[in-house]
Amino acid sequence: MNYDIKDVSLRLKATREYLDISAEELAEKTKTDIAEYRALENGEKDFSLSFLHDCAVALGMDVIELLTGNTPTLKKYSLAKNGKGLPIKRREGLSYQHMAHLFKNKKAEPFVVTAPYSAEEQSKPIPLSSHDGQEMDFVISGRLKFIIGEHTVFLDEGDCIYFDAANPHGMIAVDGQDCKFFAVLI
């Protein structure tokens, strides 16, 4: 899904104002510095998925509605065929497919994530993020170098990590090949 950051920013600001929530209050709820929050809300800076999720929770809406302007409506089940989830491009390099974007009132956000291998990334610090809730990552193919807090672990096909997502965490594909994994944000 290709979308304009400005469109998401406008939806964020309009919803915040409609709910009579100040920028300072939403910045606090999303654990974001007010200057950074204003840059995000004004479309001057790209969003992380965790920031959008935190905004959606604080605003009482679905993250999909914030991203696309469409409200999920399915209540019994949602089916996403292989490769047919809602594509979302967030963190540079990683691609996400939301696998239940049409389901209303989700308790979790399920994604198939592809981390492309980059020789350049191997010698750089891994970008870390954190968000409320818990997360589970299950490797489908490839190998993942995963940092959580002070710990570094390597996940191979079939390996799974479950963690408190408030801990700074990040990952990159290693061993010369892309890594595909299933991530569930709870």
Side-chain angles (χ1 to χ4, degrees):
M1 173 180 121
N2 294 320
Y3 49 84
D4 189 335
I5 293 169
K6 293 282 188 189
D7 289 341
V8 179
S9 297
L10 286 171
R11 269 192 290 283
L12 175 60
K13 185 174 185 174
T15 304
R16 177 185 61 73
E17 289 176 345
Y18 176 78
L19 294 173
D20 200 24
I21 297 172
S22 70
E24 291 79 11
E25 186 179 351
L26 194 52
E28 185 179 321
K29 287 183 178 187
T30 60
K31 299 178 185 117
T32 307
D33 173 78
I34 186 61
E36 181 179 357
Y37 176 83
R38 288 193 189 281
L40 290 161
E41 186 178 81
N42 291 327
E44 299 163 2
K45 188 174 177 185
D46 201 358
F47 307 102
S48 70
L49 193 54
S50 55
F51 171 77
L52 288 173
H53 179 267
D54 291 348
C55 285
V57 168
L59 296 170
M61 62 192 304
D62 193 288
V63 71
I64 298 302
E65 187 174 5
L66 190 54
L67 278 169
T68 68
N70 297 318
T71 304
T73 57
L74 299 178
K75 294 179 183 178
K76 289 190 179 191
Y77 71 92
S78 174
L79 174 65
K81 297 293 242 173
N82 186 14
K84 301 295 184 187
L86 177 67
I88 299 172
K89 277 208 164 260
R90 292 308 335 137
R91 194 183 111 193
E92 185 64 33
L94 296 183
S95 65
Y96 297 79
Q97 278 195 29
H98 198 295
M99 302 306 287
H101 65 281
L102 297 174
F103 197 83
K104 186 175 183 170
N105 299 324
K106 289 179 287 304
K107 305 285 188 229
E109 301 288 342
F111 298 93
V112 172
V113 183
T114 302
Y117 175 79
S118 166
E120 185 179 305
E121 282 186 333
Q122 305 305 306
S123 59
K124 291 182 177 179
I126 295 175
L128 303 178
S129 65
S130 61
H131 50 88
D132 288 337
Q134 299 171 346
E135 184 171 331
M136 181 208 75
D137 296 337
F138 177 89
V139 176
I140 299 167
S141 63
R143 190 165 197 236
L144 202 60
K145 180 179 182 181
F146 187 91
I147 306 271
I148 181 158
E150 303 293 321
H151 304 281
T152 301
V153 295
F154 290 87
L155 302 171
D156 297 305
E157 286 183 28
D159 290 350
C160 180
I161 187 165
Y162 191 101
F163 56 95
D164 178 348
N167 292 295
H169 57 281
M171 66 285 292
I172 60 170
V174 294
D175 293 349
Q177 62 181 330
D178 295 352
C179 181
K180 183 184 269 191
F181 60 99
F182 186 63
V184 180
L185 283 65
I186 305 164

